[in-house]
Amino acid sequence: MGSKAQFRFSFGPWNIHEGADVFGPDVRESVPFSEKLAVYKNLGFEGVQFHDDDAVSDVDVSHDQMIKEAKEMKKALDNEGLVAEFVAPRLWEHPITADGGYTANDPKAREYALERSKKAIDIANELGTKKIVLWPAREGIYVNESKDHRLSSQRFVHALNTMLEYDKGIKILGEMKPNEPMDHAYVPTTGHFLSLAYKTVDPERVGTLIESAHAILAGLDPAIEMAFAIYHDKLWSVHLNDQNGLKFDEDRVFGAINLKRAFDQVLVLYENDFGANGEFVGLDIKAIRTQKAGEATRHLANSKEIFLLLLDVVKSLDTRKLEEYRSSRNYEDLELFIIKTLMGK
Ligand code: XUL
Ligand code: MN
């Protein structure tokens, strides 16, 4: 199978974390950011994904101070031979965004969200990336009647337009998730987001990052979701991970729960030349709470290793046989063939 796919890998510093969950506190010491940076090269990762406040100490300092810190971060990246993949405004922790940002009922919250998004763009420019990722965590509802849902769609597009107009060079990647923290998220899937992208002032600059677990939480198949976005020329990044059923967002090791589902994602990425335009294979994976400090980066190394092993399987796939099963409509045996291929039989 010929492919122009190029795979280089990224993750976010939040993937090396203290292990707290909603029922219990930290179980590992915080790793200083400089030590996290060293992990990237050691594990063979090139790209760093940032939230705005991963890149600078605080976005609510003076603008000059924020830019100064962003410049220092760029130097630190250069020193390690790393690049910034994207910046994502973290709109879900500030008390003012308790009821959402772009779609909040409170105009002050909406203004805060727009201003903070512009700051994320300023930071991205300093770090040398054009990609802004939006995970609209609190855009949604707990109580159905609490908001005007039609107006929320309009406000969402207004937020996208504000960013697109603020900087004519940036690209926005929506990372959609159907629930958690909200009961019902607005714009719950990639398809919803792309339909809004086409309503913006510059649809060419609005695309998507698909996270495997988020698709699964929506009851969807990540590989099919990725192929859909690729058809639109809008799969600009991924967050590979895995997920055990429909519960909270688990961010498990890629392929560790459902190897065939992971294989299908690698197959779609490979067949469709993912990475040929510099896109990263991003991971968004949390070490499980039981993992001891010091070994709490294995989830990242292991996910990359599983991806590369699956890539070998994809490359060696007997596509002639695959086509035969397709044309004879013998999908039962096609399934067995794929399972046996995965088992090396
Ligand atoms: C949340 C999630 C975020 C985004 C970045 O579920 O995946 O970490 O990837 O804001
Ligand atoms: Mn993610």
Side-chain angles (χ1 to χ4, degrees):
M1 197 188 310
S3 170
K4 295 196 196 75
Q6 302 246 337
F7 297 128
R8 52 182 189 152
F9 296 87
S10 71
F11 67 86
W14 64 90
N15 283 174
I16 302 173
H17 70 116
E18 297 78 9
D21 64 19
V22 282
F23 299 104
D26 294 356
V27 287
R28 295 182 286 263
E29 295 275 310
S30 288
V31 177
F33 191 82
S34 56
E35 282 177 33
K36 290 187 183 180
L37 276 190
V39 173
Y40 281 81
K41 275 278 143 164
N42 285 341
L43 300 185
F45 287 77
E46 270 178 60
V48 183
Q49 310 166 13
F50 285 96
H51 290 117
D52 47 9
D53 57 4
D54 294 320
V56 301
S57 58
D58 183 355
V59 289
D60 295 324
V61 293
S62 75
H63 198 265
D64 285 352
Q65 176 65 21
M66 186 187 85
I67 295 297
K68 184 170 161 275
E69 290 184 24
K71 283 186 195 299
E72 283 162 12
M73 180 58 75
K74 173 73 167 89
K75 272 201 203 117
L77 291 177
D78 289 347
N79 286 342
E80 292 283 343
L82 298 170
V83 294
E85 184 194 1
F86 65 70
V87 177
R90 200 194 298 266
L91 296 176
W92 53 91
E93 286 187 357
H94 196 282
I96 201 168
T97 58
D99 187 33
Y102 307 141
T103 61
N105 287 334
D106 179 358
K108 285 204 207 73
R110 296 202 299 278
E111 192 181 326
Y112 176 84
L114 293 181
E115 286 311 307
R116 185 153 177 172
S117 303
K118 290 179 191 167
K119 289 180 190 176
I121 293 171
D122 295 341
I123 293 169
N125 278 320
E126 293 304 329
L127 298 187
T129 177
K130 292 287 169 207
K131 290 182 177 163
I132 301 295
V133 165
L134 289 186
W135 169 48
R138 297 197 188 278
E139 313 304 337
I141 51 105
Y142 301 110
V143 176
N144 204 307
E145 300 75 19
S146 62
K147 284 178 191 152
D148 176 334
H149 311 313
R150 189 204 58 80
L151 184 60
S152 294
S153 295
Q154 191 178 321
R155 285 178 168 158
F156 208 108
V157 171
H158 172 68
L160 297 175
N161 284 341
T162 304
M163 285 179 259
L164 293 168
E165 274 161 356
Y166 180 69
D167 184 323
K168 297 278 191 298
I170 57 135
K171 290 179 148 198
I172 301 174
L173 289 67
E175 179 185 350
M176 298 305 133
K177 174 169 157 181
N179 61 281
E180 199 204 29
M182 303 312 290
D183 193 353
H184 287 284
Y186 284 139
V187 204
T189 68
T190 297
H192 286 86
F193 184 73
L194 293 188
S195 78
L196 291 188
Y198 292 118
K199 298 277 274 184
T200 66
V201 291
D202 196 355
E204 289 287 299
R205 290 195 288 130
V206 186
T208 185
L209 175 160
I210 293 183
E211 172 162 328
S212 324
H214 295 182
I216 297 161
L217 282 170
L220 300 169
D221 177 78
I224 299 174
E225 288 290 279
M226 287 172 189
F228 177 82
I230 287 170
Y231 168 70
H232 289 265
D233 289 325
K234 288 194 179 298
L235 188 66
W236 298 343
S237 188
V238 290
H239 267 174
L240 299 185
N241 55 20
D242 213 345
Q243 172 73 26
N244 225 337
L246 303 184
K247 33 188 164 182
F248 60 95
D249 186 0
E250 296 187 310
D251 293 334
R252 296 292 304 276
V253 162
F254 181 61
I257 308 294
N258 186 330
L259 192 62
K260 185 166 176 291
R261 190 166 58 195
F263 162 82
D264 289 327
Q265 291 168 72
V266 180
L267 179 63
V268 158
L269 296 176
Y270 182 73
E271 274 184 331
N272 290 289
D273 304 330
F274 185 81
N277 299 315
E279 300 92 347
F280 276 96
V281 175
L283 306 181
D284 193 1
I285 298 169
K286 302 270 171 20
I288 47 182
R289 187 172 156 84
T290 46
Q291 192 70 353
K292 290 179 190 159
E295 291 159 0
T297 56
R298 298 307 306 153
H299 58 301
L300 297 162
N302 296 351
S303 293
K304 181 156 85 68
E305 186 173 346
I306 292 169
F307 181 97
L308 292 172
L309 289 169
L310 286 172
L311 183 59
D312 288 342
V313 179
V314 163
K315 285 182 177 168
S316 65
L317 187 68
D318 187 341
T319 48
R320 199 182 37 82
K321 265 197 178 159
L322 176 84
E323 284 308 329
E324 273 169 28
Y325 287 124
R326 281 183 180 177
S327 56
S328 61
R329 214 178 71 192
N330 187 355
Y331 303 157
E332 298 284 4
D333 285 343
L334 168 60
E335 193 166 61
L336 179 68
F337 163 66
I338 297 292
I339 296 289
K340 282 169 87 173
T341 304
L342 278 169
M343 291 173 131
K345 301 282 180 198

